[in-house]
Amino acid sequence: MNINMNPNGELVQSAVNAPGVIEIPDSFIAEAKQFRELMMMYTCAIRETKTKLEVLNDELAVRNQRNPIQMIKSRVKKPSSITEKLQRRGLPVSVKSVKDNLDDVAGIRVICSFLDDIYTVANMLARQDDVDVLMVKDYIRSPKANGYRSYHMIIQVPIYFSNGKTKMRVEVQLRTLAMDFWASLDHQMKYKKNLDDADEIIEELTACAEMIAAADLRMQRIREKIDERENPPSPFQRDRD
Ligand code: 0O2
């Protein structure tokens, strides 16, 4: 009995009937290969940076009996977003241009429990002697006009490949769970969309961002009160204060 178990049988057939050889210029193939290699390098830079963050989280969790990091998300920027950003900035679209001009091809988002965890983790990462901090944008101390809050760092980390060490740039965005909730919904609904007559929507979103920031502060104060009850200052410390 001859039963065809391949559910993609039709696909196989259409592949056989595909048109003849398509001429692809060598220069295009070479550039595509370099692009793939560069994306692989950014993926490795993400892995290296994630490990650093996971180590910090593990250590702080043991020391303080709670996790400062709730979640780590990462992505390599999509080719379409890379092209869009280079074109928007009037820059050439080439592998060299990506390497020279873009800081956020490798992106890591660190979701922290509390506001002060953001600064603790950011400072610990920045102090590591193989991490170069190239830029910091503190959108928590200086939020964007629409209420967007996050702590952005562009760092450079060495990655050891077969032919030696290469320093790779990674964008690390640190935010609280509450900031991430706002930014994710803002991103879904509005960010980079040209909405007409959107004043009311923007005002509403900004008002939500302010409420969320206030809630973040209150949650941190609650945690501090609980910490104080669990570890009251010693009488010696109290006398000194
Ligand atoms: P995605 O899809 O998250 O990767 P530019 O990237 O040119 O717009 P710049 O100066 O390079 O500007 O970057 P900046 O100001 O440090 O912030 C860039 C990233 O921060 C964005 O990446 C977003 O992830 C986030 N971001 C900044 N502003 C907002 C905002 O108002 N709302 C939300 N939801 N996110 C924001 P991408 O590549 O634009 O987008």
Side-chain angles (χ1 to χ4, degrees), residues 75 77 85 88-89 104 109 137 139 144 146 148 152 171 173 175 182-184 186-187 191-192:
R75 63 106 181 89
K77 212 172 180 67
K85 192 161 186 171
R88 177 159 44 88
R89 294 188 175 176
D104 65 342
R109 198 164 278 158
K137 288 189 199 168
Y139 292 125
K144 287 177 92 168
N146 62 356
Y148 174 77
H152 292 192
E171 185 191 58
Q173 298 182 348
R175 13 171 114 148
W182 184 91
S184 303
D186 173 69
H187 200 282
Y191 186 53
K192 288 191 174 167

Side-chain angles (χ1 to χ4, degrees), residues 26-50:
D26 285 348
S27 59
F28 185 84
I29 293 174
E31 184 83 2
K33 215 174 136 215
Q34 283 172 30
F35 184 78
R36 244 181 82 188
E37 210 168 287
L38 184 63
M39 293 304 114
M40 174 278 294
M41 292 163 83
Y42 282 119
T43 306
C44 295
I46 287 179
R47 201 179 300 151
E48 183 78 31
T49 310
K50 257 174 105 170

